[in-house]
Amino acid sequence: MKLLLHLSIFFAILFISLPSSYSCNSVEKNALLQIKKSFNNPRKFSSWNPQTDCCTTWSGVKCTNGRVTDLSLFSSKLYGQIPDQIGDLLELRSLFLTYLPHLTGNIPRTITKLKNLDSLILRHNNLSGPIPDNIGELKKLRFLDLSYNQFTGPIPGSLSQMPMLETIIVEHNKLTGSIPNSFGSFVGEVPNLYLSNNKLSGNIPESLSKNDFNGVFLSKNSFTGDGSMFFGRNKSTVSLDLSRNMFEFDLSKVQFARGIVDLDLSHNRIFGNLPRELIELRGLKLFNVSHNRLCGKIPRGGLLQSFKSYVFAHNRCLCGTPLKAC
Ligand SMILES: *[C@@H]1O[C@H](CO)[C@@H](O)[C@H](O)[C@H]1NC(C)=O
Ligand SMILES: *[C@@H]1O[C@H](CO)[C@@H](O)[C@H](O)[C@H]1NC(C)=O
Ligand SMILES: *[C@@H]1O[C@H](CO)[C@@H](O)[C@H](O)[C@H]1NC(C)=O
């Protein structure tokens, strides 16, 4: 009798601890095993055992109702490439491959099969080749971070066709060309643009002036000509970094967004005067107009005299506090 009681408790516990009725989808399991294989089956993947359920025991894999929704691998010595089978994880919502210095090769074009992808984060790897030009087919993507790789070629114009996109981070690559014309009108909200440290060049399309960017970061490229399309009194711009390019426009003619916090225009060929309305910018934390061709008196008031003199230095003939008297 006692034994029977023990047995029934045993079975009750066994029943409660059975895994949920969903287990790993077999196509997706195969895709994951292919990824493991393309990295030469390293020790890091020892939990990816074909005999077990990929949804419950495989590290870096998360599922919802038996479908793989998140894949996250980072900070390790994985040698290899992203295989085409990544495109078989059809329910994937976030793909997170970061700080993998030996992850090489291209982004497979099959990536655009991942129609549910919300976040594509391939930061700090050693990926190369172009950003797939059809990446705009990822209609649910909100967050794109391809920074710190070796990507070459243009910024795909199709990025303007993604209704949910909030942020484009492609800093620290070797991208060429200018900003695509199509960025003059985004089908969704206007995303933040992080394009610094590339080999981008040429003029920026005038059509971008219609956009109300929150943050634009273009530092350390070779952009030329007009940069005034990013300014506007009624815009909600918080950060604007045009530094270390070859922009050449008249700063006297621009109007500043009232809420701007970071404004770095240094190391360009910007001419004209510092507009008097700069003293009305009450939230300014970073300000730098050094190494340009500005002239005239630094307006007195607001926060302008609270900045160090070097943020005004190396211009054609700027004068007045904190520089020398005019
Ligand atoms: C990145 O890839 C390049 C070749 O494309 C190679 O020369 C370099 O050593 C790689 N960097 C690392 C950290 O593996
Ligand atoms: C900015 O907004 C104000 C108030 O809504 C409006 O009067 C003004 O014309 C706008 N300025 C520009 C340059 O659009
Ligand atoms: C401009 O000055 C600011 C404030 O000191 C500084 O943080 C920033 O790095 C400078 N910009 C460049 C491009 O050197």
Side-chain angles (χ1 to χ4, degrees):
M1 189 62 197
K2 211 171 179 188
L3 179 69
L4 206 63
L5 187 68
H6 277 159
L7 268 181
S8 59
I9 289 171
F10 173 73
F11 280 114
I13 290 170
L14 185 70
F15 183 76
I16 289 164
S17 62
L18 272 180
S20 69
S21 51
Y22 299 107
S23 59
C24 186
N25 172 288
S26 64
V27 174
E28 294 177 358
K29 185 181 227 178
N30 278 334
L32 291 170
L33 288 171
Q34 203 59 46
I35 291 169
K36 176 177 175 178
K37 193 172 155 205
S38 77
F39 293 133
N40 302 307
N41 302 312
R43 284 246 314 272
K44 165 121 181 149
F45 286 80
S46 54
S47 68
W48 291 26
N49 173 349
Q51 312 310 324
T52 60
D53 180 0
C54 77
C55 288
T56 49
T57 56
W58 293 21
S59 73
V61 178
K62 275 195 202 147
C63 299
T64 304
N65 298 344
R67 302 299 298 271
V68 176
T69 52
D70 300 79
L71 180 59
S72 167
L73 304 170
F74 52 88
S75 302
S76 73
K77 287 191 179 160
L78 293 179
Y79 289 80
Q81 307 197 356
I82 307 174
D84 287 346
Q85 286 85 350
I86 192 82
D88 292 341
L89 302 173
L90 294 178
E91 294 294 322
L92 208 59
R93 286 179 210 153
S94 96
L95 178 59
F96 211 98
L97 306 175
T98 61
Y99 294 92
L100 303 167
H102 309 291
L103 182 65
T104 56
N106 299 356
I107 299 180
R109 287 183 73 84
T110 54
I111 200 103
T112 56
K113 286 163 69 185
L114 306 179
K115 300 295 184 211
N116 292 303
L117 209 56
D118 168 279
S119 305
L120 178 58
I121 308 196
L122 305 176
R123 186 182 175 85
H124 272 283
N125 302 305
N126 204 353
L127 297 167
S128 57
I131 302 172
D133 54 13
N134 58 345
I135 193 161
E137 291 171 22
L138 297 173
K139 297 296 183 204
K140 290 195 182 163
L141 202 70
R142 285 193 308 127
F143 201 78
L144 177 68
D145 184 353
L146 307 178
S147 61
Y148 294 89
N149 281 285
Q150 315 271 353
F151 290 117
T152 51
I155 298 171
S158 72
L159 287 172
S160 67
Q161 301 304 306
M162 302 162 86
M164 313 297 278
L165 199 59
E166 292 169 8
T167 308
I168 299 174
I169 309 181
V170 293
E171 298 169 321
H172 289 267
N173 280 291
K174 297 172 176 171
L175 300 174
T176 51
S178 186
I179 296 180
N181 264 315
S182 66
F183 279 25
S185 81
F186 291 93
V187 295
E189 283 194 24
V190 176
N192 291 319
L193 285 185
Y194 294 80
L195 311 181
S196 300
N197 286 270
N198 277 287
K199 296 174 191 269
L200 300 166
S201 62
N203 290 0
I204 303 225
E206 180 50 42
S207 58
L208 265 71
S209 64
K210 296 195 297 275
N211 292 331
D212 184 7
F213 288 105
N214 245 276
V216 175
F217 303 85
L218 305 184
S219 183
K220 295 192 184 165
N221 282 289
S222 303
F223 288 116
T224 51
D226 193 10
S228 67
M229 68 287 286
F230 293 114
F231 294 82
R233 183 191 298 269
N234 291 347
K235 293 192 175 181
S236 32
T237 315
V238 174
S239 298
L240 181 58
D241 183 359
L242 303 184
S243 67
R244 296 183 193 270
N245 281 284
M246 291 179 276
F247 284 114
E248 199 166 0
F249 60 94
D250 186 349
L251 196 64
S252 332
K253 301 225 167 83
V254 310
Q255 296 190 317
F256 299 91
R258 283 297 177 261
I260 200 156
V261 175
D262 301 320
L263 181 61
D264 195 342
L265 306 178
S266 66
H267 295 269
N268 280 289
R269 297 170 183 173
I270 301 168
F271 56 93
N273 308 329
L274 290 180
R276 174 141 194 88
E277 59 160 311
L278 277 169
I279 68 175
E280 291 158 34
L281 305 179
R282 299 292 166 171
L284 214 49
K285 288 219 169 70
L286 186 156
F287 179 74
N288 195 344
V289 293
S290 67
H291 296 268
N292 276 296
R293 296 175 181 174
L294 296 163
C295 235
K297 192 166 191 297
I298 298 170
R300 210 178 166 88
L303 296 169
L304 282 189
Q305 276 67 38
S306 70
F307 295 106
K308 299 261 191 314
S309 63
Y310 72 82
V311 310
F312 299 97
H314 297 280
N315 274 287
R316 189 158 282 167
C317 55
L318 273 185
C319 58
T321 331
L323 298 180
K324 278 193 212 135
C326 294

